[in-house]
Amino acid sequence: MAAVQQFGCYGDRLRSRIVSRGDLSKCSHNNHSNHTNSNDVCTSCHQRIRPNNDDAFQATLEKLFPDAYELEDFVFQTKQTLVPKDFYPHVNTLVCVGLCRDEITSPFEEEIEAMWGQGFICGCLGGMLFCGNTGFAAAHHHAPDDGRFIYYCFTHIAIDHEGCVGSVYRTRSGMSGKTTACGALAAFTSEIASGKLDLTFDESDMEMSMLRKHILKKTSLSSDAHNAPDLFQVTMAAYETITIDLELYAKHDAEHFPDRRYALFTGVQIHGPNGKDYCWLGKASLLSGGVLSPLSLSS
């Protein structure tokens, strides 16, 4: 049997979370290699295990997203950074999560909520923040006037074991072939390249219509088929758009509630081989007293 990567799978992460709540006895499975069958399928999460030839993946990850964190480590380090700044889970802090609707982003949401408690969900296709003034006002009414808010707002992309950008296996839903992530951003990328980009608003496809127009309005992304961006460039434009929008909404609330503090994290969630997720932190900021300042994570 081919060697497999040595890290906990989705089934392990879910099981460990259940175990931590006292619902099961301690699980003895620590990684995929401990529970695979003769067909190289994980008996816990039922994902097909890809060979441990991840040099191409690692090279692409380091080239495109230098200093990316493993997902669990990133969320833990944000907590280590914020607790000394008076952000306390279940006491004075509301966490707001802005991720793409894609189900493969769920491990990120689970890690965040395991650390901070239930979150206010504000993400749409591609991780865009289309909940608007009403959505952000709703979130900001769910904490006291001197409360704390943490925003994790990330777009996403996949890199498979061959280093192919945008490629991911979704074997949990029974699919055996490669699919794309982010599907919405990949479709947008293809539309630009084909020269058939349609920027009219479609009420039957509102989020996608808004995604196209909003990213092009907020960034310098080319919509010219002769200078078409690739998926990585479109993903980075989505990250830039999300960052601009998040800071705008947070600053607007801070004008009315000067005693509040806001921690803002934006970047890209990366789906790697065998269900392993990573996180590239593009920008971290602390908004306090109406002043936005850089925030460095504790090591």
Side-chain angles (χ1 to χ4, degrees):
M1 184 174 69
V4 295
Q5 290 187 323
Q6 304 296 308
F7 45 65
C9 67
Y10 174 81
D12 284 331
R13 295 199 296 270
L14 182 59
R15 184 185 297 104
S16 66
R17 189 160 293 116
I18 297 173
V19 169
S20 69
R21 295 170 181 166
D23 295 330
L24 292 173
S25 60
K26 187 176 181 180
C27 177
S28 61
H29 299 144
N30 295 318
N31 54 55
H32 270 137
S33 62
N34 287 346
H35 45 107
T36 56
N37 61 26
S38 58
N39 295 319
D40 286 349
V41 174
C42 174
T43 57
S44 175
C45 69
H46 308 295
Q47 290 196 91
R48 182 168 296 280
I49 309 304
R50 304 294 164 184
N52 191 27
N53 299 323
D54 64 346
D55 289 348
F57 162 74
Q58 289 293 342
T60 303
L61 179 68
E62 292 169 8
K63 177 183 178 181
L64 299 182
F65 301 103
D67 302 319
Y69 295 85
E70 292 187 5
L71 198 61
E72 299 87 345
D73 184 47
F74 169 69
V75 177
F76 177 76
Q77 288 197 34
T78 60
K79 184 177 181 181
Q80 292 293 92
T81 300
L82 293 176
V83 167
K85 301 183 184 298
D86 301 325
F87 287 75
Y88 302 125
H90 309 292
V91 176
N92 67 347
T93 298
L94 176 68
V95 64
C96 300
V97 183
L99 305 175
C100 181
R101 297 185 182 279
D102 194 325
E103 75 280 356
I104 61 173
T105 66
S106 62
F108 199 179
E109 181 183 340
E110 291 167 4
E111 290 294 335
I112 293 168
E113 293 190 335
M115 197 70 72
W116 293 102
Q118 288 183 319
F120 186 96
I121 307 304
C122 53
C124 297
L125 288 179
M128 295 290 104
L129 300 177
F130 292 150
C131 57
N133 291 327
T134 301
F136 277 92
H140 293 151
H141 278 86
H142 294 176
D145 290 352
D146 60 350
R148 306 290 184 259
F149 294 86
I150 306 172
Y151 278 94
Y152 295 88
C153 298
F154 287 70
T155 189
H156 71 131
I157 198 170
I159 304 173
D160 69 13
H161 63 289
E162 297 174 323
C164 182
V165 175
S167 173
V168 64
Y169 291 89
R170 300 173 187 266
T171 50
R172 286 180 215 143
S173 59
M175 300 183 70
S176 58
K178 293 182 180 181
T179 64
T180 56
C182 170
L185 295 181
F188 182 34
T189 304
S190 297
E191 290 169 1
I192 295 174
S194 69
K196 298 178 180 179
L197 181 63
D198 185 358
L199 296 178
T200 59
F201 184 76
D202 182 356
E203 289 190 0
S204 67
D205 198 11
M206 291 188 288
E207 287 189 14
M208 190 64 186
S209 296
M210 293 168 63
L211 180 150
R212 297 182 188 103
K213 296 183 71 171
H214 201 55
I215 292 178
L216 291 174
K217 178 181 178 180
K218 294 282 186 175
T219 72
S220 59
L221 187 74
S222 172
S223 60
D224 183 356
H226 299 291
N227 188 31
D230 59 23
L231 179 58
F232 171 71
Q233 292 170 317
V234 171
T235 301
M236 296 307 290
Y239 146 70
E240 182 181 347
T241 303
I242 291 166
T243 303
I244 293 169
D245 287 346
L246 177 59
E247 292 179 356
L248 179 67
Y249 286 117
K251 288 177 179 177
H252 176 74
D253 188 69
E255 292 175 0
H256 302 283
F257 299 95
D259 293 330
R260 287 179 170 175
R261 290 185 183 178
Y262 313 77
L264 315 179
F265 300 105
T266 57
V268 182
Q269 179 182 2
I270 305 117
H271 312 291
N274 295 332
K276 183 70 173 181
D277 281 334
Y278 299 80
C279 174
W280 176 78
L281 178 60
K283 188 172 184 180
S285 304
L286 182 67
L287 179 60
S288 179
V291 178
L292 190 69
S293 57
L295 182 63
S296 298
L297 296 191
S298 300
S299 57

